[in-house]
Amino acid sequence: MLRWIFFLALFGMIDLYAFQAFKTVVKNNWLLILYWCITVFVIGNFVFHYYGFNRSDGFTQAHAYAFGLLIALLIPKMVLLVIMFGEDVFRVPQAIYRYFTEGDTAKGNYFANRRQFLSKVALGIAAIPLASIIYGMYRGKYNYKVLKYTLSFEDLPEAFDGYKITQISDIHSGSFDNIDKVNYGVDLINLQQSDVILFTGDIVNNSADELKPYVETFSKLKAKDGLFSVLGNHDYGDYISWASKEAKAQNLKDLKDYQKQIGFDLLLNDSRYIEKNGERIALVGVENWGAGGFKKAGDLKKASQHIAKEDFKILMSHDPSHWEREVIHDDYHYHLTFSGHTHGMQFGIEIPGWFKWSPVKWRYKYWAGIYKEMGQYINVNRGFGYLAFPGRVGIWPEITVIELKKAVKEV
């Protein structure tokens, strides 16, 4: 209860400043009433869905939208708070000075009036994150982007020169609310006409039942050399309560069965060879391994036990912290690793090829795109779906296409 009192008090303080800016510019009483109606509705809706909320009971789309609307309301108001409070840094000392120098001549009104120009500027600036968040919830979450890279390797088998790989990750099917948009995303994947499709985990939020309505949709995925997948931390059903251990085990079995129906060859600490014109590359898939309290079911040694050290190796591992902590230091030398997990936090600023930033960089060193360390590459996919916040702002859902090239050895 105390945390809710604190939450409402904090929001009240933020609104104290936000409303001052609004009423300085807007004089229509109906618009002022509308301001409070929207505020009360959004806060009330959030409290209704989250009071007594326990993550183990499951996270619904209603929870997601309650959270999303709160963020859409809170961030712009925090912008107003910063600007209006900044003005008060000057207004308060002026008021104190007038109190001691003007006395009764000021007739008790020692504060200078809010400057309308500054309020207009503040509202204009606050409108930017508001519009961005609303767009992210309405359109951004399905604003699929195809990101293409070419990576060269001296020891790539000749037969695989020009080999194309499409990676998708973090589908989170339980979050989807528009099957037509998901179908569009699947068509866009197939349009790349890659040789193989790799999925790097988190096909659901919690339960295998979330995937059932989308089995037919994802069954449309096609690639000449097949579809391969691994599990992510959300796929094990660890974040919700189950009636019994048997029910949880059955859920994981059902999820594996659904993946098989789609056409995925699920690699559970296992490997496969992809052969072409008498040459081959090794594809290795580990179960989830994540630093910072995440499940560590991945076993790199077990997954690679049937391949040779000299093979050209591609690894699928859901969490990029695995690459940082174990993979790049392994003497097997995994040429290219595919990961996901971070979603790029679904929020950030990105100008492709020039600049990218997201708060998630403070949690993950490798959080989006291509990185190279110790002669090995990783691609961290930003995710196909979304989780918790029902949208994406600046960090769009991603379909990665990587073409492998045979590099000429330097003499």
Side-chain angles (χ1 to χ4, degrees), residues 308-320:
K309 187 175 182 179
E310 62 271 16
D311 286 328
F312 184 92
K313 293 174 284 295
I314 294 174
L315 174 67
M316 302 167 64
S317 180
H318 176 70
D319 193 318

PDB file of all heavy atoms in Angstrom, residues 308-320:
ATOM      1  N   ALA A 308      33.946 -30.710 -35.415  1.00  0.00           N
ATOM      2  CA  ALA A 308      35.402 -30.637 -35.306  1.00  0.00           C
ATOM      3  C   ALA A 308      35.850 -29.200 -35.046  1.00  0.00           C
ATOM      4  O   ALA A 308      35.186 -28.236 -35.459  1.00  0.00           O
ATOM      5  CB  ALA A 308      36.054 -31.164 -36.574  1.00  0.00           C
ATOM      6  N   LYS A 309      36.984 -29.078 -34.392  1.00  0.00           N
ATOM      7  CA  LYS A 309      37.515 -27.771 -34.049  1.00  0.00           C
ATOM      8  C   LYS A 309      37.797 -26.937 -35.287  1.00  0.00           C
ATOM      9  O   LYS A 309      37.643 -25.708 -35.289  1.00  0.00           O
ATOM     10  CB  LYS A 309      38.787 -27.934 -33.216  1.00  0.00           C
ATOM     11  CG  LYS A 309      39.351 -26.640 -32.664  1.00  0.00           C
ATOM     12  CD  LYS A 309      40.530 -26.901 -31.749  1.00  0.00           C
ATOM     13  CE  LYS A 309      41.068 -25.610 -31.165  1.00  0.00           C
ATOM     14  NZ  LYS A 309      42.223 -25.855 -30.248  1.00  0.00           N
ATOM     15  N   GLU A 310      38.212 -27.592 -36.366  1.00  0.00           N
ATOM     16  CA  GLU A 310      38.583 -26.863 -37.589  1.00  0.00           C
ATOM     17  C   GLU A 310      37.382 -26.491 -38.452  1.00  0.00           C
ATOM     18  O   GLU A 310      37.520 -25.786 -39.463  1.00  0.00           O
ATOM     19  CB  GLU A 310      39.564 -27.682 -38.415  1.00  0.00           C
ATOM     20  CG  GLU A 310      39.040 -29.020 -38.914  1.00  0.00           C
ATOM     21  CD  GLU A 310      39.285 -30.161 -37.923  1.00  0.00           C
ATOM     22  OE1 GLU A 310      39.589 -29.870 -36.739  1.00  0.00           O
ATOM     23  OE2 GLU A 310      39.158 -31.335 -38.345  1.00  0.00           O
ATOM     24  N   ASP A 311      36.184 -26.932 -38.091  1.00  0.00           N
ATOM     25  CA  ASP A 311      34.991 -26.586 -38.868  1.00  0.00           C
ATOM     26  C   ASP A 311      34.729 -25.081 -38.820  1.00  0.00           C
ATOM     27  O   ASP A 311      35.026 -24.414 -37.824  1.00  0.00           O
ATOM     28  CB  ASP A 311      33.760 -27.308 -38.315  1.00  0.00           C
ATOM     29  CG  ASP A 311      33.715 -28.781 -38.652  1.00  0.00           C
ATOM     30  OD1 ASP A 311      34.205 -29.163 -39.730  1.00  0.00           O
ATOM     31  OD2 ASP A 311      33.196 -29.564 -37.821  1.00  0.00           O
ATOM     32  N   PHE A 312      34.118 -24.569 -39.876  1.00  0.00           N
ATOM     33  CA  PHE A 312      33.571 -23.206 -39.838  1.00  0.00           C
ATOM     34  C   PHE A 312      32.276 -23.297 -39.049  1.00  0.00           C
ATOM     35  O   PHE A 312      31.373 -24.067 -39.397  1.00  0.00           O
ATOM     36  CB  PHE A 312      33.311 -22.678 -41.246  1.00  0.00           C
ATOM     37  CG  PHE A 312      32.849 -21.250 -41.265  1.00  0.00           C
ATOM     38  CD1 PHE A 312      33.772 -20.217 -41.392  1.00  0.00           C
ATOM     39  CD2 PHE A 312      31.505 -20.923 -41.139  1.00  0.00           C
ATOM     40  CE1 PHE A 312      33.367 -18.890 -41.396  1.00  0.00           C
ATOM     41  CE2 PHE A 312      31.090 -19.599 -41.139  1.00  0.00           C
ATOM     42  CZ  PHE A 312      32.021 -18.582 -41.272  1.00  0.00           C
ATOM     43  N   LYS A 313      32.155 -22.480 -37.983  1.00  0.00           N
ATOM     44  CA  LYS A 313      31.069 -22.667 -37.018  1.00  0.00           C
ATOM     45  C   LYS A 313      30.178 -21.432 -36.886  1.00  0.00           C
ATOM     46  O   LYS A 313      30.671 -20.307 -36.748  1.00  0.00           O
ATOM     47  CB  LYS A 313      31.656 -23.024 -35.645  1.00  0.00           C
ATOM     48  CG  LYS A 313      32.343 -24.390 -35.616  1.00  0.00           C
ATOM     49  CD  LYS A 313      33.042 -24.653 -34.312  1.00  0.00           C
ATOM     50  CE  LYS A 313      34.336 -23.883 -34.193  1.00  0.00           C
ATOM     51  NZ  LYS A 313      35.344 -24.286 -35.181  1.00  0.00           N
ATOM     52  N   ILE A 314      28.886 -21.691 -36.900  1.00  0.00           N
ATOM     53  CA  ILE A 314      27.872 -20.667 -36.616  1.00  0.00           C
ATOM     54  C   ILE A 314      27.132 -21.112 -35.360  1.00  0.00           C
ATOM     55  O   ILE A 314      26.679 -22.252 -35.260  1.00  0.00           O
ATOM     56  CB  ILE A 314      26.893 -20.510 -37.795  1.00  0.00           C
ATOM     57  CG1 ILE A 314      27.628 -19.942 -39.015  1.00  0.00           C
ATOM     58  CG2 ILE A 314      25.725 -19.618 -37.404  1.00  0.00           C
ATOM     59  CD1 ILE A 314      26.777 -19.885 -40.266  1.00  0.00           C
ATOM     60  N   LEU A 315      27.025 -20.203 -34.404  1.00  0.00           N
ATOM     61  CA  LEU A 315      26.398 -20.515 -33.120  1.00  0.00           C
ATOM     62  C   LEU A 315      25.113 -19.727 -32.939  1.00  0.00           C
ATOM     63  O   LEU A 315      25.052 -18.539 -33.244  1.00  0.00           O
ATOM     64  CB  LEU A 315      27.369 -20.186 -31.976  1.00  0.00           C
ATOM     65  CG  LEU A 315      26.828 -20.324 -30.545  1.00  0.00           C
ATOM     66  CD1 LEU A 315      26.539 -21.789 -30.216  1.00  0.00           C
ATOM     67  CD2 LEU A 315      27.805 -19.730 -29.537  1.00  0.00           C
ATOM     68  N   MET A 316      24.099 -20.395 -32.410  1.00  0.00           N
ATOM     69  CA  MET A 316      22.853 -19.742 -32.024  1.00  0.00           C
ATOM     70  C   MET A 316      22.755 -19.784 -30.502  1.00  0.00           C
ATOM     71  O   MET A 316      22.712 -20.863 -29.908  1.00  0.00           O
ATOM     72  CB  MET A 316      21.656 -20.452 -32.647  1.00  0.00           C
ATOM     73  CG  MET A 316      21.698 -20.530 -34.167  1.00  0.00           C
ATOM     74  SD  MET A 316      20.465 -21.699 -34.810  1.00  0.00           S
ATOM     75  CE  MET A 316      18.947 -20.905 -34.302  1.00  0.00           C
ATOM     76  N   SER A 317      22.741 -18.614 -29.863  1.00  0.00           N
ATOM     77  CA  SER A 317      22.651 -18.515 -28.413  1.00  0.00           C
ATOM     78  C   SER A 317      21.828 -17.278 -28.081  1.00  0.00           C
ATOM     79  O   SER A 317      22.201 -16.161 -28.440  1.00  0.00           O
ATOM     80  CB  SER A 317      24.047 -18.428 -27.788  1.00  0.00           C
ATOM     81  OG  SER A 317      23.963 -18.332 -26.377  1.00  0.00           O
ATOM     82  N   HIS A 318      20.728 -17.467 -27.386  1.00  0.00           N
ATOM     83  CA  HIS A 318      19.737 -16.403 -27.207  1.00  0.00           C
ATOM     84  C   HIS A 318      20.295 -15.137 -26.575  1.00  0.00           C
ATOM     85  O   HIS A 318      20.015 -14.025 -27.027  1.00  0.00           O
ATOM     86  CB  HIS A 318      18.574 -16.934 -26.351  1.00  0.00           C
ATOM     87  CG  HIS A 318      17.546 -15.903 -26.016  1.00  0.00           C
ATOM     88  ND1 HIS A 318      16.684 -15.377 -26.958  1.00  0.00           N
ATOM     89  CD2 HIS A 318      17.235 -15.282 -24.832  1.00  0.00           C
ATOM     90  CE1 HIS A 318      15.888 -14.495 -26.388  1.00  0.00           C
ATOM     91  NE2 HIS A 318      16.203 -14.410 -25.103  1.00  0.00           N
ATOM     92  N   ASP A 319      21.078 -15.272 -25.526  1.00  0.00           N
ATOM     93  CA  ASP A 319      21.515 -14.135 -24.721  1.00  0.00           C
ATOM     94  C   ASP A 319      22.942 -13.728 -25.084  1.00  0.00           C
ATOM     95  O   ASP A 319      23.865 -14.539 -24.985  1.00  0.00           O
ATOM     96  CB  ASP A 319      21.436 -14.514 -23.239  1.00  0.00           C
ATOM     97  CG  ASP A 319      21.569 -13.340 -22.292  1.00  0.00           C
ATOM     98  OD1 ASP A 319      22.431 -12.472 -22.546  1.00  0.00           O
ATOM     99  OD2 ASP A 319      20.829 -13.295 -21.288  1.00  0.00           O
ATOM    100  N   PRO A 320      23.179 -12.470 -25.490  1.00  0.00           N
ATOM    101  CA  PRO A 320      24.526 -12.051 -25.895  1.00  0.00           C
ATOM    102  C   PRO A 320      25.549 -12.063 -24.765  1.00  0.00           C
ATOM    103  O   PRO A 320      26.755 -12.042 -25.026  1.00  0.00           O
ATOM    104  CB  PRO A 320      24.315 -10.633 -26.431  1.00  0.00           C
ATOM    105  CG  PRO A 320      23.055 -10.157 -25.790  1.00  0.00           C
ATOM    106  CD  PRO A 320      22.204 -11.373 -25.639  1.00  0.00           C
TER     107      PRO A 320
END
